[in-house]
Amino acid sequence: MDGKRDVWQTVMVIKEALDHLDHTCAATMTEAQTLAAMNAMRRLADRIGAEAAIWTDRAAKTCAAEKAAGTPLSDYLATAEARNPKEALGVIHQASRITTDPQVRDAALAGTVSPTKAAAIGAVLRDLPRHEMTPAQRQAAAAELLNTAETSTTRQITGSADHVLERVAPDLAPSAADKAARLERQRRQAVKNRALHFSEETDGQVRFWGQLPTLEAAQLKAAVQAAVEHGRRDESDHIKALQQQRRSGTLADTEYFTARKQLAEQEARTTAQRQSDALLDLTRAAGETAGHNGGATRTGEAARLVVTLDYTSLLNLATTAAQSGTRPDDTAMTPDQLNRLTGTLETGQQIPASTLRRICCDVDILPAILGADSAVLDVGRTRRLITPQIRAALRLRDKTCVFPGCAIPAAVCDAHHITPWWAGGPTSLDNLATLCRHHHGVVEPDRFNPAADQWTITLDEHKRPKLTPPRRLARHLATAQDQAPAQGQTPEHRENSAHGSGVDFRGKAVVPPGTESSPAGMGHRDDDPPEQTPLIA
């Protein structure tokens, strides 16, 4: 083999070397040597990362996960490596960009450019008019980007397409009209890519992030900033009014200082806090406007919170407990008892009694009465509620797409018939599960091959969805080991051996058929890597 090793031999050598690395040598190293060691290890990590990208891209292009494990590659990575679902999809896309050009791929493998920069270069090369460029120009463009990568940030590389064209193909460089047209294209793409995401944290907070086209983002920023300034003016006007009342004698000094103390917290807010408050003010104003217009949204359903209460809490709140702090028999409740009157949003987050009492006055409440094992007994209906009760009950039960690792909210998911409608399955809560569009396609039974080896759904003893992976995936990961095949033994030999059918270098097993999988967070696979000619055989 001319001194070369196959992938299994290479993995074995690297693992053995790392296993025998003596970290105690760090105690005798100088600071310069420590930095040198750090740089060497980081370059090595980049090279291994590039190799992983090459094999990931090959797995994507050959549909290896679908064929070997009956699961899309993004879901396979999320399951096998316990990855964030969006991170898993990003790994696939980055691998595809790294392999866009042979020069870029080889530079990443040699460690002369990091995988992150190689992916950025690949993205730029894809955006160039490659079909109008000669092979020499395409090679020159890749070389130009690689030459500048050492001194350029990833962001600078991403925005260097025009510069590259001016250097290697000036006749194809965009004119002023071309740049204007590109801005229009970018605008259309930005509109397509608009997004807003929410993530419920475990400490009483919700993190949210997203992206907007430049114009709409500017409008939002302007609205928030205007609300911030409006709040500042209100504070200033309030202080001036207090000072005037104090001078005129209508407000005593003690009353004045008490009022100023109450304002101190508002005045001490940071800019970030003011912007947060301004956004909430805008949201409340929009909600009030919707209420004056009948409360209907574009979907025909009023924006609402679904709050789940146990029956005793609902009974207390239905009387005067929330307002007066007394039980139905007029006996006083202790502060601790009042604090235990909590509700649960349909996202699963609990809200304290003080917040619940406040939102009861401000938002549309859809009560859901729960019995033993949190089984839905009844779903209330508000005046404007037009969504069928079974949909509301399904959302309340599942909360998100029930596929393992998927956190797409139930409100934007499909209702999947566990026993298909075409097979006689009823449309009832006991035969429905919530699935996002992507995973609905993964789970949907094959009408023409009902025995197909694929993901299936059943209900557990508590009438909650339980997913079972394909037998192929269970075999592939349940027997995963943390070592490569023995030297000279091919993956096919190992797959046909008596000890298993697959290799997972993290040694992580998945839930076998018949074992419950609980829903967690996994997202859509919105797009796939573009078709390319495989760069490794």
Side-chain angles (χ1 to χ4, degrees), residues 5 55 57 77 119 136 168 209 214 226 247-248 260 283 364 390 396-397 413 432 470 487 495 534 536:
R5 296 182 174 90
W55 290 97
D57 186 58
L77 288 174
V168 305
W209 69 99
T214 302
R247 285 195 294 268
S248 65
R260 283 303 306 271
T283 304
D364 202 0
I390 195 168
L396 182 62
R397 185 194 71 187
C413 289
L432 293 173
Q487 185 171 351
E495 191 165 352
I536 60 175

mmCIF file with all atom_site columns, all heavy atoms in Angstrom, residues 5 55 57 77 119 136 168 209 214 226 247-248 260 283 364 390 396-397 413 432 470 487 495 534 536:
data_model
loop_
_atom_site.group_PDB
_atom_site.id
_atom_site.type_symbol
_atom_site.label_atom_id
_atom_site.label_alt_id
_atom_site.label_comp_id
_atom_site.label_asym_id
_atom_site.label_entity_id
_atom_site.label_seq_id
_atom_site.pdbx_PDB_ins_code
_atom_site.Cartn_x
_atom_site.Cartn_y
_atom_site.Cartn_z
_atom_site.occupancy
_atom_site.B_iso_or_equiv
_atom_site.pdbx_formal_charge
_atom_site.auth_seq_id
_atom_site.auth_comp_id
_atom_site.auth_asym_id
_atom_site.auth_atom_id
_atom_site.pdbx_PDB_model_num
ATOM 1   N N   . ARG A 1 5   ? -2.203  3.773  4.948   1.00 0.00 ? 5   ARG A N   1
ATOM 2   C CA  . ARG A 1 5   ? -3.087  2.960  5.769   1.00 0.00 ? 5   ARG A CA  1
ATOM 3   C C   . ARG A 1 5   ? -4.529  3.232  5.362   1.00 0.00 ? 5   ARG A C   1
ATOM 4   O O   . ARG A 1 5   ? -4.863  4.336  4.936   1.00 0.00 ? 5   ARG A O   1
ATOM 5   C CB  . ARG A 1 5   ? -2.911  3.302  7.251   1.00 0.00 ? 5   ARG A CB  1
ATOM 6   C CG  . ARG A 1 5   ? -1.544  2.999  7.831   1.00 0.00 ? 5   ARG A CG  1
ATOM 7   C CD  . ARG A 1 5   ? -1.524  3.336  9.318   1.00 0.00 ? 5   ARG A CD  1
ATOM 8   N NE  . ARG A 1 5   ? -0.279  2.935  9.963   1.00 0.00 ? 5   ARG A NE  1
ATOM 9   C CZ  . ARG A 1 5   ? 0.782   3.724  10.064  1.00 0.00 ? 5   ARG A CZ  1
ATOM 10  N NH1 . ARG A 1 5   ? 0.747   4.946  9.563   1.00 0.00 ? 5   ARG A NH1 1
ATOM 11  N NH2 . ARG A 1 5   ? 1.872   3.291  10.668  1.00 0.00 ? 5   ARG A NH2 1
ATOM 12  N N   . TRP A 1 55  ? -15.624 12.172 5.354   1.00 0.00 ? 55  TRP A N   1
ATOM 13  C CA  . TRP A 1 55  ? -16.429 10.961 5.505   1.00 0.00 ? 55  TRP A CA  1
ATOM 14  C C   . TRP A 1 55  ? -17.889 11.291 5.765   1.00 0.00 ? 55  TRP A C   1
ATOM 15  O O   . TRP A 1 55  ? -18.788 10.551 5.341   1.00 0.00 ? 55  TRP A O   1
ATOM 16  C CB  . TRP A 1 55  ? -15.843 10.086 6.617   1.00 0.00 ? 55  TRP A CB  1
ATOM 17  C CG  . TRP A 1 55  ? -14.528 9.495  6.200   1.00 0.00 ? 55  TRP A CG  1
ATOM 18  C CD1 . TRP A 1 55  ? -13.279 9.973  6.492   1.00 0.00 ? 55  TRP A CD1 1
ATOM 19  C CD2 . TRP A 1 55  ? -14.338 8.363  5.357   1.00 0.00 ? 55  TRP A CD2 1
ATOM 20  N NE1 . TRP A 1 55  ? -12.317 9.204  5.892   1.00 0.00 ? 55  TRP A NE1 1
ATOM 21  C CE2 . TRP A 1 55  ? -12.942 8.196  5.182   1.00 0.00 ? 55  TRP A CE2 1
ATOM 22  C CE3 . TRP A 1 55  ? -15.196 7.475  4.737   1.00 0.00 ? 55  TRP A CE3 1
ATOM 23  C CZ2 . TRP A 1 55  ? -12.404 7.174  4.425   1.00 0.00 ? 55  TRP A CZ2 1
ATOM 24  C CZ3 . TRP A 1 55  ? -14.657 6.439  3.976   1.00 0.00 ? 55  TRP A CZ3 1
ATOM 25  C CH2 . TRP A 1 55  ? -13.275 6.306  3.824   1.00 0.00 ? 55  TRP A CH2 1
ATOM 26  N N   . ASP A 1 57  ? -19.413 13.881 4.449   1.00 0.00 ? 57  ASP A N   1
ATOM 27  C CA  . ASP A 1 57  ? -19.952 14.246 3.141   1.00 0.00 ? 57  ASP A CA  1
ATOM 28  C C   . ASP A 1 57  ? -20.211 12.998 2.296   1.00 0.00 ? 57  ASP A C   1
ATOM 29  O O   . ASP A 1 57  ? -21.213 12.918 1.568   1.00 0.00 ? 57  ASP A O   1
ATOM 30  C CB  . ASP A 1 57  ? -18.980 15.177 2.426   1.00 0.00 ? 57  ASP A CB  1
ATOM 31  C CG  . ASP A 1 57  ? -19.542 15.716 1.126   1.00 0.00 ? 57  ASP A CG  1
ATOM 32  O OD1 . ASP A 1 57  ? -20.614 16.361 1.173   1.00 0.00 ? 57  ASP A OD1 1
ATOM 33  O OD2 . ASP A 1 57  ? -18.931 15.488 0.074   1.00 0.00 ? 57  ASP A OD2 1
ATOM 34  N N   . LEU A 1 77  ? -26.971 11.358 13.236  1.00 0.00 ? 77  LEU A N   1
ATOM 35  C CA  . LEU A 1 77  ? -25.941 12.045 14.017  1.00 0.00 ? 77  LEU A CA  1
ATOM 36  C C   . LEU A 1 77  ? -26.493 12.534 15.346  1.00 0.00 ? 77  LEU A C   1
ATOM 37  O O   . LEU A 1 77  ? -25.832 12.432 16.391  1.00 0.00 ? 77  LEU A O   1
ATOM 38  C CB  . LEU A 1 77  ? -25.376 13.220 13.214  1.00 0.00 ? 77  LEU A CB  1
ATOM 39  C CG  . LEU A 1 77  ? -24.473 12.876 12.031  1.00 0.00 ? 77  LEU A CG  1
ATOM 40  C CD1 . LEU A 1 77  ? -24.104 14.132 11.257  1.00 0.00 ? 77  LEU A CD1 1
ATOM 41  C CD2 . LEU A 1 77  ? -23.223 12.152 12.490  1.00 0.00 ? 77  LEU A CD2 1
ATOM 42  N N   . ALA A 1 119 ? -14.750 25.672 4.856   1.00 0.00 ? 119 ALA A N   1
ATOM 43  C CA  . ALA A 1 119 ? -16.179 25.716 4.565   1.00 0.00 ? 119 ALA A CA  1
ATOM 44  C C   . ALA A 1 119 ? -16.587 27.095 4.040   1.00 0.00 ? 119 ALA A C   1
ATOM 45  O O   . ALA A 1 119 ? -17.410 27.203 3.122   1.00 0.00 ? 119 ALA A O   1
ATOM 46  C CB  . ALA A 1 119 ? -16.980 25.370 5.813   1.00 0.00 ? 119 ALA A CB  1
ATOM 47  N N   . ALA A 1 136 ? -9.198  26.943 -15.418 1.00 0.00 ? 136 ALA A N   1
ATOM 48  C CA  . ALA A 1 136 ? -8.046  27.666 -14.869 1.00 0.00 ? 136 ALA A CA  1
ATOM 49  C C   . ALA A 1 136 ? -8.501  28.780 -13.933 1.00 0.00 ? 136 ALA A C   1
ATOM 50  O O   . ALA A 1 136 ? -7.877  29.031 -12.887 1.00 0.00 ? 136 ALA A O   1
ATOM 51  C CB  . ALA A 1 136 ? -7.196  28.232 -15.999 1.00 0.00 ? 136 ALA A CB  1
ATOM 52  N N   . VAL A 1 168 ? -9.195  37.193 -10.612 1.00 0.00 ? 168 VAL A N   1
ATOM 53  C CA  . VAL A 1 168 ? -8.991  36.026 -11.473 1.00 0.00 ? 168 VAL A CA  1
ATOM 54  C C   . VAL A 1 168 ? -9.859  36.019 -12.731 1.00 0.00 ? 168 VAL A C   1
ATOM 55  O O   . VAL A 1 168 ? -9.532  35.332 -13.704 1.00 0.00 ? 168 VAL A O   1
ATOM 56  C CB  . VAL A 1 168 ? -9.244  34.726 -10.687 1.00 0.00 ? 168 VAL A CB  1
ATOM 57  C CG1 . VAL A 1 168 ? -8.371  34.678 -9.446  1.00 0.00 ? 168 VAL A CG1 1
ATOM 58  C CG2 . VAL A 1 168 ? -10.703 34.564 -10.305 1.00 0.00 ? 168 VAL A CG2 1
ATOM 59  N N   . TRP A 1 209 ? -33.999 33.913 19.598  1.00 0.00 ? 209 TRP A N   1
ATOM 60  C CA  . TRP A 1 209 ? -33.064 34.466 18.632  1.00 0.00 ? 209 TRP A CA  1
ATOM 61  C C   . TRP A 1 209 ? -33.650 34.282 17.233  1.00 0.00 ? 209 TRP A C   1
ATOM 62  O O   . TRP A 1 209 ? -34.604 33.530 17.039  1.00 0.00 ? 209 TRP A O   1
ATOM 63  C CB  . TRP A 1 209 ? -31.699 33.780 18.743  1.00 0.00 ? 209 TRP A CB  1
ATOM 64  C CG  . TRP A 1 209 ? -31.697 32.354 18.286  1.00 0.00 ? 209 TRP A CG  1
ATOM 65  C CD1 . TRP A 1 209 ? -31.301 31.859 17.082  1.00 0.00 ? 209 TRP A CD1 1
ATOM 66  C CD2 . TRP A 1 209 ? -32.131 31.212 19.054  1.00 0.00 ? 209 TRP A CD2 1
ATOM 67  N NE1 . TRP A 1 209 ? -31.443 30.494 17.037  1.00 0.00 ? 209 TRP A NE1 1
ATOM 68  C CE2 . TRP A 1 209 ? -31.959 30.073 18.230  1.00 0.00 ? 209 TRP A CE2 1
ATOM 69  C CE3 . TRP A 1 209 ? -32.653 31.054 20.336  1.00 0.00 ? 209 TRP A CE3 1
ATOM 70  C CZ2 . TRP A 1 209 ? -32.292 28.799 18.666  1.00 0.00 ? 209 TRP A CZ2 1
ATOM 71  C CZ3 . TRP A 1 209 ? -32.984 29.777 20.756  1.00 0.00 ? 209 TRP A CZ3 1
ATOM 72  C CH2 . TRP A 1 209 ? -32.788 28.676 19.937  1.00 0.00 ? 209 TRP A CH2 1
ATOM 73  N N   . THR A 1 214 ? -32.853 43.042 6.295   1.00 0.00 ? 214 THR A N   1
ATOM 74  C CA  . THR A 1 214 ? -32.310 44.298 6.831   1.00 0.00 ? 214 THR A CA  1
ATOM 75  C C   . THR A 1 214 ? -33.385 45.342 7.075   1.00 0.00 ? 214 THR A C   1
ATOM 76  O O   . THR A 1 214 ? -33.411 46.002 8.123   1.00 0.00 ? 214 THR A O   1
ATOM 77  C CB  . THR A 1 214 ? -31.254 44.852 5.867   1.00 0.00 ? 214 THR A CB  1
ATOM 78  O OG1 . THR A 1 214 ? -30.226 43.871 5.688   1.00 0.00 ? 214 THR A OG1 1
ATOM 79  C CG2 . THR A 1 214 ? -30.629 46.122 6.427   1.00 0.00 ? 214 THR A CG2 1
ATOM 80  N N   . ALA A 1 226 ? -37.729 53.544 19.641  1.00 0.00 ? 226 ALA A N   1
ATOM 81  C CA  . ALA A 1 226 ? -38.719 54.593 19.899  1.00 0.00 ? 226 ALA A CA  1
ATOM 82  C C   . ALA A 1 226 ? -39.446 54.327 21.209  1.00 0.00 ? 226 ALA A C   1
ATOM 83  O O   . ALA A 1 226 ? -39.714 55.264 21.993  1.00 0.00 ? 226 ALA A O   1
ATOM 84  C CB  . ALA A 1 226 ? -39.719 54.659 18.740  1.00 0.00 ? 226 ALA A CB  1
ATOM 85  N N   . ARG A 1 247 ? -42.843 71.340 44.897  1.00 0.00 ? 247 ARG A N   1
ATOM 86  C CA  . ARG A 1 247 ? -42.671 72.799 45.018  1.00 0.00 ? 247 ARG A CA  1
ATOM 87  C C   . ARG A 1 247 ? -43.981 73.500 45.339  1.00 0.00 ? 247 ARG A C   1
ATOM 88  O O   . ARG A 1 247 ? -44.014 74.489 46.062  1.00 0.00 ? 247 ARG A O   1
ATOM 89  C CB  . ARG A 1 247 ? -42.085 73.347 43.720  1.00 0.00 ? 247 ARG A CB  1
ATOM 90  C CG  . ARG A 1 247 ? -40.604 73.050 43.532  1.00 0.00 ? 247 ARG A CG  1
ATOM 91  C CD  . ARG A 1 247 ? -40.011 73.908 42.427  1.00 0.00 ? 247 ARG A CD  1
ATOM 92  N NE  . ARG A 1 247 ? -40.589 73.554 41.120  1.00 0.00 ? 247 ARG A NE  1
ATOM 93  C CZ  . ARG A 1 247 ? -40.059 72.662 40.296  1.00 0.00 ? 247 ARG A CZ  1
ATOM 94  N NH1 . ARG A 1 247 ? -38.934 72.019 40.638  1.00 0.00 ? 247 ARG A NH1 1
ATOM 95  N NH2 . ARG A 1 247 ? -40.643 72.395 39.148  1.00 0.00 ? 247 ARG A NH2 1
ATOM 96  N N   . SER A 1 248 ? -45.068 72.977 44.792  1.00 0.00 ? 248 SER A N   1
ATOM 97  C CA  . SER A 1 248 ? -46.367 73.629 45.020  1.00 0.00 ? 248 SER A CA  1
ATOM 98  C C   . SER A 1 248 ? -46.967 73.258 46.368  1.00 0.00 ? 248 SER A C   1
ATOM 99  O O   . SER A 1 248 ? -47.989 73.837 46.763  1.00 0.00 ? 248 SER A O   1
ATOM 100 C CB  . SER A 1 248 ? -47.347 73.238 43.915  1.00 0.00 ? 248 SER A CB  1
ATOM 101 O OG  . SER A 1 248 ? -47.632 71.842 43.973  1.00 0.00 ? 248 SER A OG  1
ATOM 102 N N   . ARG A 1 260 ? -39.879 58.823 44.417  1.00 0.00 ? 260 ARG A N   1
ATOM 103 C CA  . ARG A 1 260 ? -38.595 58.770 43.717  1.00 0.00 ? 260 ARG A CA  1
ATOM 104 C C   . ARG A 1 260 ? -37.903 57.420 43.938  1.00 0.00 ? 260 ARG A C   1
ATOM 105 O O   . ARG A 1 260 ? -37.248 56.887 43.020  1.00 0.00 ? 260 ARG A O   1
ATOM 106 C CB  . ARG A 1 260 ? -37.678 59.904 44.197  1.00 0.00 ? 260 ARG A CB  1
ATOM 107 C CG  . ARG A 1 260 ? -38.006 61.279 43.649  1.00 0.00 ? 260 ARG A CG  1
ATOM 108 C CD  . ARG A 1 260 ? -37.995 61.289 42.119  1.00 0.00 ? 260 ARG A CD  1
ATOM 109 N NE  . ARG A 1 260 ? -36.758 60.791 41.544  1.00 0.00 ? 260 ARG A NE  1
ATOM 110 C CZ  . ARG A 1 260 ? -35.699 61.549 41.282  1.00 0.00 ? 260 ARG A CZ  1
ATOM 111 N NH1 . ARG A 1 260 ? -35.730 62.843 41.531  1.00 0.00 ? 260 ARG A NH1 1
ATOM 112 N NH2 . ARG A 1 260 ? -34.616 61.020 40.748  1.00 0.00 ? 260 ARG A NH2 1
ATOM 113 N N   . THR A 1 283 ? -45.487 44.181 22.291  1.00 0.00 ? 283 THR A N   1
ATOM 114 C CA  . THR A 1 283 ? -46.274 42.952 22.195  1.00 0.00 ? 283 THR A CA  1
ATOM 115 C C   . THR A 1 283 ? -47.628 43.129 22.860  1.00 0.00 ? 283 THR A C   1
ATOM 116 O O   . THR A 1 283 ? -48.663 42.711 22.328  1.00 0.00 ? 283 THR A O   1
ATOM 117 C CB  . THR A 1 283 ? -45.516 41.785 22.855  1.00 0.00 ? 283 THR A CB  1
ATOM 118 O OG1 . THR A 1 283 ? -44.231 41.655 22.244  1.00 0.00 ? 283 THR A OG1 1
ATOM 119 C CG2 . THR A 1 283 ? -46.271 40.489 22.700  1.00 0.00 ? 283 THR A CG2 1
ATOM 120 N N   . ASP A 1 364 ? -55.915 35.535 27.153  1.00 0.00 ? 364 ASP A N   1
ATOM 121 C CA  . ASP A 1 364 ? -56.983 34.578 26.939  1.00 0.00 ? 364 ASP A CA  1
ATOM 122 C C   . ASP A 1 364 ? -56.537 33.239 27.511  1.00 0.00 ? 364 ASP A C   1
ATOM 123 O O   . ASP A 1 364 ? -55.546 32.680 27.070  1.00 0.00 ? 364 ASP A O   1
ATOM 124 C CB  . ASP A 1 364 ? -57.236 34.461 25.430  1.00 0.00 ? 364 ASP A CB  1
ATOM 125 C CG  . ASP A 1 364 ? -58.617 33.926 25.133  1.00 0.00 ? 364 ASP A CG  1
ATOM 126 O OD1 . ASP A 1 364 ? -59.367 33.646 26.073  1.00 0.00 ? 364 ASP A OD1 1
ATOM 127 O OD2 . ASP A 1 364 ? -58.919 33.782 23.949  1.00 0.00 ? 364 ASP A OD2 1
ATOM 128 N N   . ILE A 1 390 ? -59.925 18.311 20.051  1.00 0.00 ? 390 ILE A N   1
ATOM 129 C CA  . ILE A 1 390 ? -58.953 17.228 19.954  1.00 0.00 ? 390 ILE A CA  1
ATOM 130 C C   . ILE A 1 390 ? -57.573 17.768 19.577  1.00 0.00 ? 390 ILE A C   1
ATOM 131 O O   . ILE A 1 390 ? -56.552 17.255 20.020  1.00 0.00 ? 390 ILE A O   1
ATOM 132 C CB  . ILE A 1 390 ? -59.423 16.162 18.934  1.00 0.00 ? 390 ILE A CB  1
ATOM 133 C CG1 . ILE A 1 390 ? -58.604 14.891 19.104  1.00 0.00 ? 390 ILE A CG1 1
ATOM 134 C CG2 . ILE A 1 390 ? -59.377 16.683 17.512  1.00 0.00 ? 390 ILE A CG2 1
ATOM 135 C CD1 . ILE A 1 390 ? -59.189 13.720 18.348  1.00 0.00 ? 390 ILE A CD1 1
ATOM 136 N N   . LEU A 1 396 ? -51.621 19.786 23.983  1.00 0.00 ? 396 LEU A N   1
ATOM 137 C CA  . LEU A 1 396 ? -51.371 19.786 25.424  1.00 0.00 ? 396 LEU A CA  1
ATOM 138 C C   . LEU A 1 396 ? -50.636 18.529 25.852  1.00 0.00 ? 396 LEU A C   1
ATOM 139 O O   . LEU A 1 396 ? -49.745 18.568 26.698  1.00 0.00 ? 396 LEU A O   1
ATOM 140 C CB  . LEU A 1 396 ? -52.708 19.909 26.167  1.00 0.00 ? 396 LEU A CB  1
ATOM 141 C CG  . LEU A 1 396 ? -52.643 19.981 27.695  1.00 0.00 ? 396 LEU A CG  1
ATOM 142 C CD1 . LEU A 1 396 ? -51.878 21.210 28.140  1.00 0.00 ? 396 LEU A CD1 1
ATOM 143 C CD2 . LEU A 1 396 ? -54.049 19.988 28.267  1.00 0.00 ? 396 LEU A CD2 1
ATOM 144 N N   . ARG A 1 397 ? -50.984 17.394 25.257  1.00 0.00 ? 397 ARG A N   1
ATOM 145 C CA  . ARG A 1 397 ? -50.352 16.125 25.636  1.00 0.00 ? 397 ARG A CA  1
ATOM 146 C C   . ARG A 1 397 ? -48.915 16.033 25.134  1.00 0.00 ? 397 ARG A C   1
ATOM 147 O O   . ARG A 1 397 ? -48.007 15.675 25.870  1.00 0.00 ? 397 ARG A O   1
ATOM 148 C CB  . ARG A 1 397 ? -51.172 14.957 25.090  1.00 0.00 ? 397 ARG A CB  1
ATOM 149 C CG  . ARG A 1 397 ? -50.658 13.597 25.529  1.00 0.00 ? 397 ARG A CG  1
ATOM 150 C CD  . ARG A 1 397 ? -51.277 12.478 24.699  1.00 0.00 ? 397 ARG A CD  1
ATOM 151 N NE  . ARG A 1 397 ? -50.747 12.476 23.332  1.00 0.00 ? 397 ARG A NE  1
ATOM 152 C CZ  . ARG A 1 397 ? -51.221 11.694 22.366  1.00 0.00 ? 397 ARG A CZ  1
ATOM 153 N NH1 . ARG A 1 397 ? -52.243 10.884 22.612  1.00 0.00 ? 397 ARG A NH1 1
ATOM 154 N NH2 . ARG A 1 397 ? -50.685 11.749 21.153  1.00 0.00 ? 397 ARG A NH2 1
ATOM 155 N N   . CYS A 1 413 ? -46.985 21.597 14.085  1.00 0.00 ? 413 CYS A N   1
ATOM 156 C CA  . CYS A 1 413 ? -46.737 20.238 13.621  1.00 0.00 ? 413 CYS A CA  1
ATOM 157 C C   . CYS A 1 413 ? -47.993 19.620 13.018  1.00 0.00 ? 413 CYS A C   1
ATOM 158 O O   . CYS A 1 413 ? -49.089 20.178 13.087  1.00 0.00 ? 413 CYS A O   1
ATOM 159 C CB  . CYS A 1 413 ? -46.250 19.365 14.789  1.00 0.00 ? 413 CYS A CB  1
ATOM 160 S SG  . CYS A 1 413 ? -44.572 19.745 15.351  1.00 0.00 ? 413 CYS A SG  1
ATOM 161 N N   . LEU A 1 432 ? -53.508 9.331  17.635  1.00 0.00 ? 432 LEU A N   1
ATOM 162 C CA  . LEU A 1 432 ? -52.833 10.479 17.047  1.00 0.00 ? 432 LEU A CA  1
ATOM 163 C C   . LEU A 1 432 ? -51.536 10.773 17.786  1.00 0.00 ? 432 LEU A C   1
ATOM 164 O O   . LEU A 1 432 ? -51.418 10.520 18.990  1.00 0.00 ? 432 LEU A O   1
ATOM 165 C CB  . LEU A 1 432 ? -53.732 11.721 17.087  1.00 0.00 ? 432 LEU A CB  1
ATOM 166 C CG  . LEU A 1 432 ? -54.980 11.694 16.215  1.00 0.00 ? 432 LEU A CG  1
ATOM 167 C CD1 . LEU A 1 432 ? -55.847 12.915 16.500  1.00 0.00 ? 432 LEU A CD1 1
ATOM 168 C CD2 . LEU A 1 432 ? -54.600 11.659 14.733  1.00 0.00 ? 432 LEU A CD2 1
ATOM 169 N N   . PRO A 1 470 ? -35.984 1.780  13.629  1.00 0.00 ? 470 PRO A N   1
ATOM 170 C CA  . PRO A 1 470 ? -35.867 0.615  12.742  1.00 0.00 ? 470 PRO A CA  1
ATOM 171 C C   . PRO A 1 470 ? -34.919 -0.417 13.351  1.00 0.00 ? 470 PRO A C   1
ATOM 172 O O   . PRO A 1 470 ? -33.980 -0.077 14.067  1.00 0.00 ? 470 PRO A O   1
ATOM 173 C CB  . PRO A 1 470 ? -35.284 1.202  11.456  1.00 0.00 ? 470 PRO A CB  1
ATOM 174 C CG  . PRO A 1 470 ? -35.568 2.665  11.522  1.00 0.00 ? 470 PRO A CG  1
ATOM 175 C CD  . PRO A 1 470 ? -35.563 3.020  12.966  1.00 0.00 ? 470 PRO A CD  1
ATOM 176 N N   . GLN A 1 487 ? -6.916  -5.254 12.115  1.00 0.00 ? 487 GLN A N   1
ATOM 177 C CA  . GLN A 1 487 ? -6.173  -5.024 10.885  1.00 0.00 ? 487 GLN A CA  1
ATOM 178 C C   . GLN A 1 487 ? -6.442  -6.141 9.879   1.00 0.00 ? 487 GLN A C   1
ATOM 179 O O   . GLN A 1 487 ? -6.386  -7.327 10.182  1.00 0.00 ? 487 GLN A O   1
ATOM 180 C CB  . GLN A 1 487 ? -4.672  -4.951 11.184  1.00 0.00 ? 487 GLN A CB  1
ATOM 181 C CG  . GLN A 1 487 ? -3.846  -4.585 9.947   1.00 0.00 ? 487 GLN A CG  1
ATOM 182 C CD  . GLN A 1 487 ? -2.409  -4.321 10.323  1.00 0.00 ? 487 GLN A CD  1
ATOM 183 O OE1 . GLN A 1 487 ? -2.094  -4.256 11.494  1.00 0.00 ? 487 GLN A OE1 1
ATOM 184 N NE2 . GLN A 1 487 ? -1.569  -4.161 9.334   1.00 0.00 ? 487 GLN A NE2 1
ATOM 185 N N   . GLU A 1 495 ? -19.415 -6.627 9.690   1.00 0.00 ? 495 GLU A N   1
ATOM 186 C CA  . GLU A 1 495 ? -20.871 -6.548 9.681   1.00 0.00 ? 495 GLU A CA  1
ATOM 187 C C   . GLU A 1 495 ? -21.489 -7.928 9.636   1.00 0.00 ? 495 GLU A C   1
ATOM 188 O O   . GLU A 1 495 ? -22.574 -8.159 10.153  1.00 0.00 ? 495 GLU A O   1
ATOM 189 C CB  . GLU A 1 495 ? -21.342 -5.710 8.479   1.00 0.00 ? 495 GLU A CB  1
ATOM 190 C CG  . GLU A 1 495 ? -22.809 -5.354 8.524   1.00 0.00 ? 495 GLU A CG  1
ATOM 191 C CD  . GLU A 1 495 ? -23.150 -4.262 7.551   1.00 0.00 ? 495 GLU A CD  1
ATOM 192 O OE1 . GLU A 1 495 ? -22.215 -3.695 6.959   1.00 0.00 ? 495 GLU A OE1 1
ATOM 193 O OE2 . GLU A 1 495 ? -24.345 -3.998 7.379   1.00 0.00 ? 495 GLU A OE2 1
ATOM 194 N N   . PRO A 1 534 ? -18.796 12.697 -5.855  1.00 0.00 ? 534 PRO A N   1
ATOM 195 C CA  . PRO A 1 534 ? -18.004 12.280 -4.685  1.00 0.00 ? 534 PRO A CA  1
ATOM 196 C C   . PRO A 1 534 ? -16.520 12.511 -4.930  1.00 0.00 ? 534 PRO A C   1
ATOM 197 O O   . PRO A 1 534 ? -16.003 12.253 -6.013  1.00 0.00 ? 534 PRO A O   1
ATOM 198 C CB  . PRO A 1 534 ? -18.337 10.787 -4.551  1.00 0.00 ? 534 PRO A CB  1
ATOM 199 C CG  . PRO A 1 534 ? -19.669 10.634 -5.223  1.00 0.00 ? 534 PRO A CG  1
ATOM 200 C CD  . PRO A 1 534 ? -19.659 11.633 -6.346  1.00 0.00 ? 534 PRO A CD  1
ATOM 201 N N   . ILE A 1 536 ? -14.138 11.218 -2.774  1.00 0.00 ? 536 ILE A N   1
ATOM 202 C CA  . ILE A 1 536 ? -13.370 10.058 -2.341  1.00 0.00 ? 536 ILE A CA  1
ATOM 203 C C   . ILE A 1 536 ? -14.124 8.822  -2.793  1.00 0.00 ? 536 ILE A C   1
ATOM 204 O O   . ILE A 1 536 ? -15.340 8.817  -2.885  1.00 0.00 ? 536 ILE A O   1
ATOM 205 C CB  . ILE A 1 536 ? -13.143 10.032 -0.815  1.00 0.00 ? 536 ILE A CB  1
ATOM 206 C CG1 . ILE A 1 536 ? -14.496 9.985  -0.066  1.00 0.00 ? 536 ILE A CG1 1
ATOM 207 C CG2 . ILE A 1 536 ? -12.320 11.187 -0.360  1.00 0.00 ? 536 ILE A CG2 1
ATOM 208 C CD1 . ILE A 1 536 ? -14.315 9.838  1.405   1.00 0.00 ? 536 ILE A CD1 1
#
